[in-house]
Amino acid sequence: MISNQDLFHVHTFRCGHAEEVPDRAYIEKALELGAKGIWFTDHCPFPGDHFMRAHRMLYSDLPEYVDTLKKLKKEYTGRIEVHIGLETEYFIKYDEMGYYKELRENNDIEMLLLGQHMAELPDGRYSYDLGKEELIEREYKLLGEEMILGIQSGYFNAVAHPDRIFRKRRVWDDEMNAMAINIIHYAKLAGIPLEQNESSKATPNYYRDEFWRLAEGKADIIRGLDAHFLREIKLI
Ligand SMILES: [Zn+2]
Ligand SMILES: [Zn+2]
């Protein structure tokens, strides 16, 4: 459903770390470039707003986000397709609360993009609470395992930057290879595409050729911008 003439994976000012421009500015830029569609996937909030304000919109912002994009979708009909989505981590805790089901049941939200930026720990903390050494050792395993649960949950339409979980590892080893193969396998099984992320390419060690060599021909691959600034809007 994502065409290669679409601009996929665009954030908005609401997440706290993107350019302070109205959503319309991204659409106008996309039109200028001759794109067929634009997919907004801003960072999804969680009830209770446990996570840092600088990382995502507030839970109370969500209705406004959807409403604003709905109006723009209508306004731009016939010129460009405006799609409404959210990028979110998968957390067992919020699944048990019924949150993903609730998001899925919202007919205005067309796309849930699985972006596993952190993982839950059994003691209720999150992976970012671990020390530096432990993160080097375990981050990709924790994120990879939870990402696979997300893929299997059936709530998601695509996986954002799956290779980014390996960012803290310099040398590609057998265990990382096994994790990559698992992610690719379960994505294929679930019939959802894996995203090659333009923003990852700009950060050392975020984009892993080792991963994409394994995925080639084994899973569906899409390309996403992960745009947080107008200047990152481009056809790829
Ligand atoms: Zn972001
Ligand atoms: Zn993103």
Side-chain angles (χ1 to χ4, degrees):
M1 66 174 168
I2 302 155
S3 124
N4 53 12
Q5 292 157 285
D6 286 353
L7 298 172
F8 179 67
H9 196 159
V10 177
H11 290 275
T12 79
F13 66 91
R14 296 171 190 79
C15 71
H17 57 276
E19 194 168 351
E20 287 284 338
V21 291
D23 307 334
R24 176 188 302 280
Y26 290 106
I27 300 171
E28 288 291 334
K29 181 84 186 277
L31 266 174
E32 229 173 82
L33 293 170
K36 193 170 157 283
I38 179 167
W39 293 78
F40 286 95
T41 53
D42 208 1
H43 296 286
C44 187
F46 287 93
D49 295 316
H50 174 83
F51 302 103
M52 269 170 67
R53 176 69 191 101
H55 292 171
R56 61 196 64 232
M57 68 178 87
L58 293 170
Y59 184 58
S60 57
D61 292 338
L62 188 53
E64 181 276 326
Y65 169 71
V66 173
D67 268 11
T68 302
L69 292 182
K70 263 178 85 174
K71 287 190 188 116
L72 289 166
K73 189 191 211 18
K74 210 168 163 190
E75 183 185 329
Y76 282 89
T77 299
R79 288 191 281 164
I80 187 167
E81 283 171 36
V82 176
H83 298 281
I84 308 171
L86 288 165
E87 176 181 17
T88 176
E89 296 80 3
Y90 175 78
F91 299 127
I92 297 163
K93 179 179 144 189
Y94 290 97
D95 191 358
E96 285 173 354
M97 285 169 57
Y99 188 46
Y100 301 103
K101 189 166 175 282
E102 186 187 313
L103 292 171
R104 270 275 76 117
E105 282 169 0
N106 182 336
N107 289 328
D108 295 324
I109 299 170
E110 301 162 69
M111 147 80 51
L112 282 187
L113 175 61
L114 176 59
Q116 200 74 38
H117 301 97
M118 54 220 177
E120 295 165 298
L121 300 175
D123 61 8
R125 292 181 305 156
Y126 287 86
S127 50
Y128 52 69
D129 293 316
L130 296 172
K132 192 169 170 245
E133 290 306 310
E134 215 179 342
L135 279 176
I136 293 172
E137 184 62 30
R138 296 178 60 206
E139 187 185 53
Y140 80 91
K141 294 179 194 166
L142 293 165
L143 269 63
E145 278 159 19
E146 207 156 34
M147 188 198 291
I148 289 170
L149 291 177
I151 290 170
Q152 293 175 313
S153 73
Y155 294 123
F156 296 93
N157 305 94
V159 186
H161 48 64
D163 50 338
R164 201 183 284 186
I165 62 167
F166 302 107
R167 65 190 175 157
K168 295 203 169 17
R169 310 284 292 186
R170 299 268 156 225
V171 182
W172 192 263
D173 66 21
D174 288 349
E175 274 190 274
M176 292 159 69
N177 211 63
M179 175 59 81
I181 288 171
N182 265 335
I183 292 167
I184 294 159
H185 168 77
Y186 285 109
K188 179 76 190 167
L189 203 64
I192 62 176
L194 300 171
E195 180 213 46
Q196 290 183 340
N197 186 281
E198 282 302 300
S199 160
S200 285
K201 287 180 186 170
T203 313
N205 232 30
Y206 272 37
Y207 185 89
R208 301 303 287 255
D209 286 326
E210 298 95 334
F211 182 94
W212 295 110
R213 276 198 291 272
L214 292 167
E216 216 183 306
K218 296 259 176 18
D220 296 327
I221 295 172
I222 52 170
R223 298 180 77 187
L225 296 168
D226 213 348
H228 291 77
F229 295 86
L230 272 179
R231 65 169 183 274
E232 292 170 335
I233 296 290
K234 59 182 180 184
L235 283 168
I236 45 174

